[in-house]
Amino acid sequence: MGTVLVENIRVYAYHGCLPQETQLGSDYLVNIAVKADLSKAASTDSLNDTVDYVHINHIVKEEMAIPSKLLEHVVKRINDRIFQELPTVESSKVAVSKVNPPINGDVEKVTVILKSKRS
């Protein structure tokens, strides 16, 4: 078993419960860690035998483009697509961070993390 990390995917998106969040948008960082058997890819040197991180990035960009009130909802959608579209993935950890959230405080970011396993 191995891990593929795709770290700090930067996205500008329109998530939130406040009107200004969905109108003005804000910066987000997305981090993905997926576990899969990477032993075949290590031997064959073939993209078909591994988890394609370009595909993960594509999923993130598409799902982040769909406005949601809650980051939890966005994270679940990303997780669901990873399992639907990447059959070698056994488990995943998806973290979405809103940078400089509008919460009347000096907060760098807020993050929602969900871990899932293939059922």
Side-chain angles (χ1 to χ4, degrees), residues 16-117:
C17 295
L18 302 174
Q20 69 263 31
E21 292 176 297
T22 57
Q23 292 169 359
L24 299 175
S26 55
D27 291 308
Y28 293 83
L29 292 173
V30 181
N31 289 285
I32 311 278
V34 296
K35 292 194 180 287
D37 183 354
L38 303 178
S39 60
K40 185 174 181 183
S43 296
T44 65
D45 197 27
S46 173
L47 182 59
N48 293 329
D49 295 330
T50 193
V51 177
D52 184 354
Y53 50 80
V54 173
H55 194 144
I56 291 173
N57 186 60
H58 176 75
I59 289 169
V60 167
K61 299 278 180 149
E62 283 191 351
E63 293 303 325
M64 290 296 290
I66 303 167
S68 293
K69 291 178 185 169
L70 300 178
L71 295 180
E72 291 86 329
H73 186 69
V74 180
V75 173
K76 181 185 182 314
R77 289 197 327 257
I78 293 169
N79 252 329
D80 289 348
R81 283 207 41 206
I82 287 171
F83 287 113
Q84 289 168 5
E85 298 177 23
L86 299 168
T88 59
V89 171
E90 293 298 322
S91 65
S92 69
K93 177 180 173 184
V94 176
V96 175
S97 301
K98 181 181 285 192
V99 180
N100 297 317
I103 59 174
N104 296 322
D106 186 13
V107 177
E108 179 182 349
K109 62 185 175 183
V110 295
T111 304
V112 171
I113 302 169
L114 290 178
K115 297 177 183 178
S116 299
K117 289 186 179 182

